[in-house]
Amino acid sequence: MLKVLKFRYFLVLLLFVGCGETTEKKPSEAQAEVENTDKEEEVSTDDKVILFYGNSLTAAYGLDVKEGFPNRIQQKLDSLGLDYQVINSGLSGETTSGGLNRLDWVLNQPVDIFVLELGANDGLRGIPIAETMNNLQEMIDMVKDKNPDTKIVLAGMQIPPNMGTDYASQFKAMYPALAESNNIYLIPFLLEGVAGNPSLNLEDGIHPTAEGQRIVTNNVWKILKTIVLPASVSEVTKDAAVEELN
């Protein structure tokens, strides 16, 4: 079985409305924090790397990290005998600005597939759409500049109309627009089938339970399987590969 490589971030955070509030840090400070965190033993292999780069949704806030969708994706890859290692680089409270600041250091490692899951905290805080979109674009450009062959998957998000229906509508439309203009993969809505369902979310009503994370896993896998499964795999096998994980 492949080992999941996890970045664990231990921060003193106050939960903001959404994925938690965090203080913006300079790149050097963010790098030092990551370097000093406890990591599982890294195994040098020839496996390809899938890096999940996001906020508390990726970090499996409120759960054991093993219950989060990145680890469940690793389990799926292992069950299919696919030679991939998953790295979970989710940080609770992360905004697109914070993600942009720490990305350069994260990209020091080889990455074959980069899954970008950021923006929800921006939306819940009412950060201007143009600013969020620009940050996401800069991150996409950085990944491409580092390695043009890296496949990029953008996780689409939606927010409640707390900031107004126009803002929520523009926020939702931002993700497919970025995916189309950059010719990258898009998960239409990461929390499809989970958002708004009390039984699938923790008491805060925002972060998925373990069962909710299973559904999120399948939302991710529907797109990811088109990249990782060999072209020779039959459509029947591809369809079977999207079955819900236990």
Side-chain angles (χ1 to χ4, degrees):
M1 297 288 285
L2 296 176
K3 290 188 177 182
V4 180
L5 303 182
K6 302 190 295 291
F7 287 120
R8 294 179 179 173
Y9 302 89
F10 295 98
L11 302 175
V12 179
L13 299 174
L14 294 178
L15 183 63
F16 195 86
V17 283
C19 298
E21 184 175 11
T22 187
T23 304
E24 297 293 344
K25 297 179 175 60
K26 296 178 181 179
S28 59
E29 294 173 334
Q31 176 179 339
E33 274 189 356
V34 176
E35 288 175 337
N36 290 328
T37 56
D38 177 42
K39 296 187 295 182
E40 288 189 349
E41 179 184 2
E42 297 189 12
V43 181
S44 178
T45 72
D46 294 328
D47 295 339
K48 294 181 180 180
V49 170
I50 302 175
L51 192 147
F52 287 92
Y53 193 70
N55 52 40
S56 57
L57 297 175
T58 293
Y61 175 88
L63 305 172
D64 188 308
V65 70
K66 293 180 180 179
E67 297 178 294
F69 71 84
N71 186 67
R72 292 184 181 280
I73 289 293
Q74 181 72 77
Q75 293 173 347
K76 188 61 165 177
L77 294 165
D78 291 344
S79 70
L80 294 171
L82 299 173
D83 295 329
Y84 283 90
Q85 285 184 331
V86 167
I87 295 177
N88 184 339
S89 188
L91 177 60
S92 292
E94 190 74 292
T95 61
T96 58
S97 177
L100 182 59
N101 285 339
R102 70 182 173 104
L103 182 57
D104 187 58
W105 182 83
V106 172
L107 291 178
N108 282 335
Q109 61 197 308
V111 177
D112 297 279
I113 301 174
F114 184 87
V115 183
L116 178 56
E117 180 273 303
L118 283 174
N121 286 324
D122 294 49
L124 292 171
R125 300 175 189 192
I127 293 175
I129 299 294
E131 180 179 337
T132 299
M133 193 169 186
N134 182 66
N135 289 337
L136 289 170
Q137 182 62 61
E138 285 195 49
M139 283 185 274
I140 291 169
D141 290 341
M142 286 178 67
V143 174
K144 288 183 174 181
D145 289 345
K146 191 72 173 183
N147 184 359
D149 294 328
T150 298
K151 302 292 192 300
I152 302 174
V153 180
L154 181 63
M157 287 298 300
Q158 299 175 26
I159 58 172
N162 299 35
M163 300 293 173
T165 55
D166 287 345
Y167 182 90
S169 178
Q170 292 175 36
F171 183 88
K172 177 182 177 180
M174 171 178 63
Y175 292 94
L178 281 168
E180 182 177 2
S181 63
N182 288 283
N183 193 28
I184 60 178
Y185 297 87
L186 175 70
I187 301 168
F189 181 30
L190 182 69
L191 299 179
E192 183 69 42
V194 177
N197 187 333
S199 67
L200 295 174
N201 289 277
L202 302 178
E203 290 184 3
D204 61 18
I206 296 174
H207 297 94
T209 61
E211 181 59 32
Q213 284 279 357
R214 290 190 182 96
I215 297 173
V216 173
T217 301
N218 288 314
N219 293 340
V220 174
W221 183 247
K222 287 175 184 177
I223 304 303
L224 198 57
K225 72 185 181 77
T226 65
I227 305 173
V228 302
L229 291 179
S232 59
V233 175
S234 69
E235 289 302 318
V236 173
T237 302
K238 287 183 179 180
D239 290 339
V242 79
E243 292 178 359
E244 184 177 356
L245 302 177
N246 296 319

